[in-house]
Amino acid sequence: MSDHEEFAEPSYPSLPATSWAVLGMLSFGEELSGNDLKKWADWSIGFFYWSPSVSQVYGELKKLENMGLVESRAIVEAGVRGRRVYSVTAAGKAAVATWSRQAPVEIPVLKHGVMLRMWLGHLNDPEHLKALVRAHIDNMTELRDRAALHAEHSSREPGWAFPRMSLRWAVRYFDAEIELSRGLFDEIDEAAQQFERARFTGAGALAPLEPGSWRSVEEIVEGLQRAGD
């Protein structure tokens, strides 16, 4: 073999990130049922990525087993309903390890329902918008407290060091979301004052001062991006 011979880079199959999440949970060295994986997802990756249904988990397991990335066995105990547990295969562990190292860094997809309703604030009134924000802050506070509790109780397993780190990141994320949301109260009042200058048709619909002006804004932004390049 030549000293200059190149080795092929390890590869990984094309799978959705949910598949990698399931494989990842199995990489911690335990045999788990689909229900186990669902519960574990709820108190771990569910705080920052994915909280699946049981049917989703079993769908992923079936696909991964057909690909040889996980394997399963039935457990039968006297007086207990039989169950099937899953474990990662050597091929599965190698695949998820390669994916975790080599997959491109993706931009997180933000689907913020509360902000969509703020964006539609012209169809609402300021006090109701503030009530929505207060409810959102309550939800984020509950999630922050739950994530903190799970992080605190995950320290007993050295193998969970990185999941614990991720849970602590989730706590900081929820804290930031709460702080950002609190800033909306004053901004709602400011937006309401600006909105008073808007024009309406006789039927009560918005009448833009310059119809299609959003296109010129898009052109300005694209021009600035080209200039920056």
Side-chain angles (χ1 to χ4, degrees):
M1 180 182 298
S2 169
D3 291 340
H4 301 288
E5 184 174 343
E6 295 184 359
F7 290 92
E9 285 288 331
S11 61
Y12 54 89
S14 177
L15 291 170
T18 50
S19 298
W20 298 119
V22 170
L23 271 177
M25 285 188 287
L26 289 173
S27 72
F28 284 89
E30 292 190 52
E31 290 183 311
L32 300 170
S33 69
N35 286 326
D36 293 333
L37 287 164
K38 160 64 177 169
K39 292 177 182 177
W40 197 350
D42 285 347
W43 74 257
S44 57
I45 60 174
F47 286 108
F48 53 83
Y49 182 73
W50 181 57
S51 186
S53 66
V54 174
S55 61
Q56 283 179 302
V57 172
Y58 278 105
E60 293 294 339
L61 288 170
K62 181 178 180 180
K63 175 176 64 180
L64 294 170
E65 187 167 26
N66 288 338
M67 296 176 66
L69 302 179
V70 305
E71 58 189 8
S72 67
R73 66 186 183 93
I75 295 179
V76 180
E77 299 173 353
V80 179
R81 181 181 177 182
R83 63 193 184 103
R84 183 165 292 275
V85 294
Y86 297 80
S87 59
V88 66
T89 63
K93 185 176 180 182
V96 70
T98 302
W99 173 82
S100 71
R101 291 193 298 267
Q102 297 185 6
V105 176
E106 298 178 345
I107 297 175
V109 177
L110 179 63
K111 296 170 66 176
H112 203 301
V114 173
M115 286 311 303
L116 181 59
R117 295 166 80 174
M118 296 297 111
W119 183 73
L120 294 170
H122 63 286
L123 303 176
N124 216 316
D125 64 85
E127 291 310 310
H128 187 68
L129 292 176
K130 291 178 183 179
L132 294 176
V133 173
R134 283 191 287 270
H136 177 60
I137 290 174
D138 288 343
N139 289 339
M140 293 299 98
T141 301
E142 180 183 354
L143 285 173
R144 188 268 316 278
D145 293 345
R146 285 175 51 202
L149 189 62
H150 287 300
E152 179 184 351
H153 289 279
S154 63
S155 60
R156 65 182 181 275
E157 277 285 346
W160 295 351
F162 291 103
R164 181 170 184 255
M165 177 192 71
S166 300
L167 286 168
R168 293 171 68 180
W169 176 90
V171 172
R172 298 194 298 274
Y173 172 85
F174 293 130
D175 279 335
E177 179 75 15
I178 291 167
E179 189 63 26
L180 287 171
S181 299
R182 287 173 176 157
L184 285 171
F185 293 117
D186 289 339
E187 292 189 31
I188 288 171
D189 289 334
E190 180 183 345
Q193 290 176 1
Q194 294 174 355
F195 187 70
E196 290 176 357
R197 303 198 303 269
R199 296 191 313 184
F200 296 85
T201 66
L206 275 172
L209 299 178
E210 299 179 36
S213 62
W214 59 270
R215 292 188 180 89
S216 62
V217 174
E218 183 183 29
E219 291 169 358
I220 291 171
V221 172
E222 289 179 348
L224 291 172
Q225 288 176 334
R226 287 194 296 271
D229 294 340

